[in-house]
Amino acid sequence: MAAAESTTSGRYTLYYNPFSICSLMALLTVRWKGEPVSPEMAVDIVEEEVDIYTGEQNREEFLKKSWKGQVPVLLGPDDLKLTDSLEITLFLASRYPQLLPDALQGAITAMLDKLHQVWFVSLSFTAQEGRGAGIIQQIQDIVAQPTTSEDYKAALQRKLQYYADSYQADPHAPEIVAREQLKAQTYLAKIADLRAAHNAGHDSNWIFGSKIGPTALDAHTVVFIARLIDAGHTSLIGRDMLEYGIQNLKAPEWTGIVRNRSTLHSLWERQEAAKVSKVEVR
């Protein structure tokens, strides 16, 4: 991971991973942010990829940037440090009114809060993939190494505690998965109602219609739909929202981020392996 951390006026660094749903939400928000309130309020972002599948997020250097040891993270002038996609989005919205129009502020923030109450891990991975257990084991292995400093151990233990506090039940237990599926369906049904109310029968790309354009709610919802599709949960989406999602997943802003990759690392790996096998057969 490059260490290019911008601290000059107006310059920011966004640490992300292309297979992290919350990173993708932040990245698409950046792409759809529109124009700033004023040139002085513009946010010039440098994007730095963090390889969470080789454990870069658990390195001591990164834990100093984000005590959670997660992406996305936005660092900026005056010691700005935002460590989740919702914080990052609301910060950008304070400078880019396209993301959070005044008249819609209450509706958008309320729906974003509902979306981020969903346990994405429950809908993204299966128990067999061992995603959560793998993260915990990796941290425990580092803590057990005799060369790990006491400060580094303390930072890793803090991350473990955050993970335990965030998921006080097994996120892959059948009853938890069912609960999160219902939350996803309920959320998307409410978004569909919002879109119907604001489009007056017109087939706009955006939740609040073409006159408003893409908001922060569009950015986060489109990414959520993409993840549900990739994880095999298309049945949770609903016909109207599936059409909305698919048309926006064809947008250059999105295709420029994912570059023909799945939002799931495991699925992308299988796709890449299939490509290699096909070439070998030929």
Side-chain angles (χ1 to χ4, degrees), residues 223-237:
V223 174
F224 185 51
I225 290 172
R227 173 55 60 86
L228 290 176
I229 292 172
D230 288 344
H233 294 304
T234 305
S235 62
L236 301 177
I237 300 170

Side-chain angles (χ1 to χ4, degrees), residues 213-267:
T215 67
L217 192 58
D218 288 284
H220 286 234
T221 301
V222 166
V223 174
F224 185 51
I225 290 172
R227 173 55 60 86
L228 290 176
I229 292 172
D230 288 344
H233 294 304
T234 305
S235 62
L236 301 177
I237 300 170
R239 182 177 59 83
D240 291 347
M241 291 311 298
L242 184 60
E243 291 176 356
Y244 157 85
I246 288 174
Q247 66 186 4
N248 280 305
L249 294 175
K250 295 176 182 177
E253 294 87 354
W254 174 253
T255 59
I257 293 171
V258 295
R259 301 174 187 172
N260 295 319
R261 294 175 298 209
S262 164
T263 67
L264 284 171
H265 187 265
S266 56
L267 182 56

Side-chain angles (χ1 to χ4, degrees), residues 129-189:
E129 289 176 285
R131 177 72 178 141
I135 293 171
I136 292 171
Q137 187 60 56
Q138 186 179 70
I139 294 173
Q140 290 174 337
D141 289 344
I142 298 172
V143 170
Q145 292 174 6
T147 55
T148 302
S149 71
E150 292 304 314
D151 286 345
Y152 188 13
K153 287 180 183 178
L156 290 168
Q157 293 290 2
R158 188 182 183 192
K159 174 174 179 174
L160 281 177
Q161 188 59 52
Y162 171 75
Y163 189 86
D165 291 343
S166 299
Y167 300 104
Q168 296 181 11
D170 177 4
H172 302 301
E175 66 275 12
I176 298 297
V177 173
R179 182 192 71 187
E180 299 309 307
Q181 289 176 341
L182 179 59
K183 285 161 66 174
Q185 283 182 305
T186 302
Y187 170 80
L188 290 172

Side-chain angles (χ1 to χ4, degrees), residues 193-207:
D193 289 343
L194 274 177
R195 185 167 176 247
H198 286 270
N199 276 278
H202 299 291
D203 188 21
S204 168
N205 280 21
W206 316 117
I207 294 169

Side-chain angles (χ1 to χ4, degrees), residues 22-57:
C22 290
S23 288
L24 292 170
M25 288 172 173
L27 289 168
L28 192 54
T29 299
V30 169
R31 302 301 188 275
W32 282 345
K33 67 184 185 299
E35 297 299 319
V37 174
S38 66
E40 295 75 24
M41 295 289 279
V43 178
D44 183 11
I45 293 178
V46 176
E47 295 173 359
E48 292 285 345
E49 184 174 343
V50 178
D51 190 346
I52 61 176
Y53 288 89
T54 60
E56 283 193 59
Q57 78 279 21

